[in-house]
Amino acid sequence: MDVTAPGMDVIATAGHVDHGKSALVRALTGMEPDRWAEERRRGLTIDLGFAWTTLPSGRRLAVVDVPGHERFVGNMLAGVGSVPAALVVVAADDGWSAQTAEHVAVLDALGVRPALLAVTKSDLADPAPVVADVRERLAATSMGDVPAVPVSSVTGQGLPELTTAMESLLARLPAPDATAPVRLWIDRAFTIRGAGTVVTGTLAAGTVAPEDRLLLGGREVTVRGVQSLGAAVERARATARVALNLRGVAVEDLSRGDALLTPGAFRLTDVVDVTLAAEPDERLPAEPVVHVGSATVGARLRPLDGTAVRLRLASPLPLRVGDRLLLRDPGARRVLGADVRDVDPPELCRRGAARQRGAELAAQPEGDAGAAADLARRRIVRAADFAAMGWPVPAGATEQGPWLLAPGLADELAARVPDVVTRFRRLRPLEPGPPAEVVRRALDLPDADLVAALVREPLVLREGRVVDGAADLPPAVQRAVDEIRARLATDPFAAPEAPDLADAGLGVRELAAAVRSGQLVRVGEGVYLAPGIDGVARTRLAAIPQPFTLSQARQAWGTSRRVAVPLMEWLDARGVTERLPDNTRTLR
């Protein structure tokens, strides 16, 4: 078995019915693209056909043959949606026809650039007038100046020249990104005896291999096996025609237009803002049909401003910023190209919001600058969600855990934190500073974990609170604590009694504040000593025989049982001492 499927190119045919698309594919590949008996009986392509060949250079080519009849334009759109290049087919004895125009309009709306013109049936009529006419028409589309080759599938005339032109065309295709996430639009789903469910599609980006786990409509499925151009492979890299044997889904649950997705890499959306590729010359359809990949869904269209419109899809699709959609008006047989600009757009509630939104989209740049502008509008977003929308991380953005902050926003919010701390301490002077949750609410943050990215010196985040390292206790409390610490400096184990604390004005809240500030240590209920008492206690215990009793420890410390009992338990909990089975203790 091959380790990786050899690289290949994929091209789709386009053109009017009876202009010889399928016959040309047969002549080029030696394969029959019409899969159904009815197609071969009627000589009419109804559904998508697939064939492949190896060109003289060794380049492997897969061909998606689309139906040319107007009744099957939906199938045609499913075939060209994921394919990077087109082979436009026009018959020399018929020339430019209705379906030629419709297919070319589709390619133009999709923004297809690499294309080749094959003028078929050149053995029946002079191809020169058709070549000149069609090339002139194509020059006004996205395809531009298209090379043309007259051919005859019957006599073989022009086939070597067509192959050479195709080699040149394919060599100019941009290299696909084999490391990108997978979004495989399914164009066929069927069952094979002994293998189970199989789907096919054009892998436009990414890599797929057996045991990969992919999402299908919110459900996880596993790839059991991969085939490319009829052969089993261990890995297929874009661009490629692939057939995937799936585990975890029945063929009855699949249909053309479903997509296999890398988990977490795409966002399903049913509301999307787009900009039309060209100014419409007619009134926009209120309910266009939207095509992307092999998917077809209905939609409701709301004009915003200029070429910007909002689409509300009948069912959600895995879309990204930069995707090209095709909007079809079935009644008028008209197609429009549209570029996805936002897959998570804001609500339009206020009067004039639609026009303002359209202006925003018109001003929004592409690439990194567009990502920065979108993130500035959102301010804070989960990094995974932002990537799933199709945006790169813009320069200057702040990443904090799973969150992404717009450039400059962290500094702007950090400048507000000191005021939050000051106002909190004014209301609660005995508390060292506000909890992170209080800061979160004050700054309207989605997660308290973001507070850590906003704390600047002299503020610090300590034990879940934003505190000023230089902040003191209220003056009266500080004086009382200072007096206690002075007495403890003389006798470290002489913890003040409850009446002494009360007389000094140190209640529960004041003592808790002193502990939080690090000026006292609470070793037990009502027992407060100076910081560092654990070291002093260890030094005195080290001077007596080991193991020792509680009474011996109390005598070494020169204190009462009221202090010795909680102090010893506190030392046990901190790992300074170890309690033995006979209730004696020893230093660790």
Side-chain angles (χ1 to χ4, degrees), residues 390-476:
W391 290 117
V393 175
T398 301
E399 295 187 61
Q400 176 66 22
W403 297 97
L404 194 63
L405 284 71
L409 181 61
D411 290 339
E412 174 189 326
L413 294 173
R416 293 170 52 191
V417 174
D419 184 55
V420 176
V421 174
T422 299
R423 285 187 285 110
F424 182 89
R425 292 208 69 211
R426 190 178 299 127
L427 295 172
R428 298 173 175 82
L430 293 176
E431 297 189 36
E437 176 60 21
V438 170
V439 178
R440 182 200 72 78
R441 291 198 301 269
L443 300 182
D444 194 25
L445 303 175
D447 192 329
D449 288 344
L450 287 165
V451 173
L454 309 177
V455 175
R456 306 283 192 270
E457 292 183 349
L459 299 178
V460 294
L461 186 63
R462 185 167 61 209
E463 296 180 356
R465 289 176 177 266
V466 180
V467 302
D468 186 344
D472 296 322
L473 296 171

Side-chain angles (χ1 to χ4, degrees), residues 179-184 205-207 213-215 259-266:
T179 65
V182 169
R183 179 176 54 179
L184 182 72
T207 301
R213 295 181 182 274
L214 301 173
L215 288 183
L260 288 167
L261 309 170
T262 297
F266 293 87

Side-chain angles (χ1 to χ4, degrees), residues 292-350:
V292 58
S294 61
T296 303
V297 300
R300 295 188 64 84
L301 182 149
R302 178 180 179 179
L304 298 176
D305 187 53
T307 61
V309 301
R310 173 161 296 184
L311 298 173
R312 194 168 295 275
L313 307 176
S315 55
L317 290 174
L319 299 178
R320 279 186 156 196
V321 171
D323 284 343
R324 173 60 70 93
L325 309 182
L326 188 140
L327 312 184
R328 185 163 61 98
D329 184 354
R333 295 181 63 179
R334 180 168 59 121
V335 293
L336 300 165
D339 294 313
V340 174
R341 305 298 300 277
D342 196 340
V343 295
D344 182 28
E347 292 290 337
L348 303 177
C349 301
R350 303 186 314 276

Side-chain angles (χ1 to χ4, degrees), residues 52 120 173 206 221 244 292 464 484 559 567:
W52 55 87
T120 57
L173 291 178
V221 298
L244 306 183
V292 58
I484 290 175
T559 189
L567 177 57

Side-chain angles (χ1 to χ4, degrees), residues 576-587:
V576 176
T577 56
E578 180 180 6
R579 187 171 183 170
L580 303 177
D582 61 357
N583 284 335
T584 60
R585 288 175 170 82
T586 184
L587 287 173

